[in-house]
Amino acid sequence: MIRGEHIQSPGMARTGRAGDARLAFERVGNRTVVRTALAHSPLRLLTPRNHGHAAWVYTSSLGGGLVDGDHLSVELDVAEGAAALLSSQGSNRVYRSPRGCRSDLSARVAEGALLALVPDPTMCFAGARYSQRQDVQLAQGASLVLMDLVTAGRSANGERWAFTHYSSALRVHREGRSLLDERWLLDPHHGTLPERLGRFDALGTVLLVGPALASAREALAGHVGALPVTPRAGLVCSASPLGPDGLVLRAAATSAEVLLRTAREWLSFLSPMLGDDPWARRA
């Protein structure tokens, strides 16, 4: 069963919508509960039940995607010892937007807590301008799983890498010390995107940080690091250590389906950690 909490401001225009959400997860006994779940249109928060001990929230957007001028903002807190998953009900679709669209996420993860940020890919349509920022603050002993994927758009409609601007900033700090601070920028002003990206239709990053993920990092570093790179391969991957307890996985794929399947295979260890499969139980 899915429960959604949604507050919509009267008379809100179809363009230039500003939606914000506030989430707080807390451990109660041997389970995590959603203590706070408040959202303003066009954001919606869905909280499906699951068989595990972790709490799950899925985001969705009224209208099926972001339109010109939209600005979404999510703030979340994961309390000590809690386990939380934040995902989405479908791809983050960004429509033609001359003024641009924006999405910001700010997360704080307390000691001994686990946060999994694993949304579906972002898909920018022709003429879209999109910027996103993700800022995660980890306490000592906190753990983070983060998946960030972007696809070429509606290739079947002749819109392959046809957006106007895409940027993605990711910052992860541990007790105020920077672990990762990077920005992706895809802009045709720097060169035609289809030519620059060649055969690849999807790009992705998977990040694992923290003590709860030690065995998963070791296994993935060995597996991904051993994959051969062959000419014209449909999937190219890399694995890089990040400090003493982190791992960054990168991938480029010739289709969104291949990239999404690969990323979920990498994160198959999440099901036992959460007590249920977040991709098999989306509703």
Side-chain angles (χ1 to χ4, degrees), residues 160-161 191-199:
R160 182 176 182 270
W161 300 118
T192 304
L193 290 177
E195 293 181 4
R196 292 166 58 197
L197 293 165
R199 67 186 185 278

Side-chain angles (χ1 to χ4, degrees), residues 94-95 97-102 127-131 163-165 187:
V94 185
Y95 297 102
S97 40
R99 292 180 297 161
C101 302
R102 183 179 179 89
R129 296 184 60 89
Y130 178 68
S131 298
F163 48 81
T164 303
H165 176 92
D187 193 309

Side-chain angles (χ1 to χ4, degrees), residues 32-106:
T32 297
V33 299
V34 180
R35 181 61 67 193
T36 302
L38 298 174
H40 292 77
S41 179
L43 269 175
R44 298 177 65 218
L45 302 177
L46 311 172
T47 56
R49 296 179 180 177
N50 69 86
H51 297 143
H53 63 277
W56 300 357
V57 174
Y58 292 82
T59 63
S60 68
S61 176
L62 293 178
L66 301 182
V67 299
D68 196 23
D70 279 358
H71 182 186
L72 307 184
S73 178
V74 177
E75 290 193 13
L76 67 92
D77 287 276
V78 186
E80 183 174 349
L85 175 137
L86 180 63
S87 187
S88 59
Q89 277 237 299
S91 295
N92 176 28
R93 295 178 175 84
V94 185
Y95 297 102
R96 181 178 180 85
S97 40
R99 292 180 297 161
C101 302
R102 183 179 179 89
S103 177
D104 297 322
L105 181 142
S106 178

Side-chain angles (χ1 to χ4, degrees), residues 257-277:
E257 293 76 17
V258 168
L259 180 63
L260 187 57
R261 182 173 64 250
T262 298
R264 289 181 177 178
E265 287 174 355
W266 288 348
L267 298 182
S268 59
F269 65 86
L270 267 181
S271 295
M273 292 188 71
L274 300 174
D276 207 342
D277 186 341

Side-chain angles (χ1 to χ4, degrees), residues 76 78 82-86 105-119 134-148 170-174 177 179-181 205-214 216-217 220 242 245-249 267 269-270 273-274:
L76 67 92
V78 186
L85 175 137
L86 180 63
L105 181 142
S106 178
R108 292 166 293 275
V109 189
E111 183 174 356
L114 167 67
L115 172 62
L117 294 173
V118 290
Q134 299 181 90
D135 192 338
V136 183
Q137 304 283 339
L138 301 175
Q140 182 65 34
S143 298
L144 170 70
V145 176
L146 184 145
M147 180 174 77
D148 188 13
L170 173 59
R171 297 172 182 169
V172 180
H173 292 78
R174 166 90 73 193
R177 181 175 61 87
L179 295 178
L180 180 67
D181 191 340
T205 296
V206 171
L207 175 65
L208 309 180
V209 178
L213 306 168
R217 286 196 307 273
L220 281 168
L242 182 68
D245 67 345
L247 180 69
V248 181
L249 303 172
L267 298 182
F269 65 86
L270 267 181
M273 292 188 71
L274 300 174

Side-chain angles (χ1 to χ4, degrees), residues 183-196:
R183 185 186 181 203
W184 285 28
L185 176 62
L186 297 174
D187 193 309
H189 284 100
H190 302 150
T192 304
L193 290 177
E195 293 181 4
R196 292 166 58 197

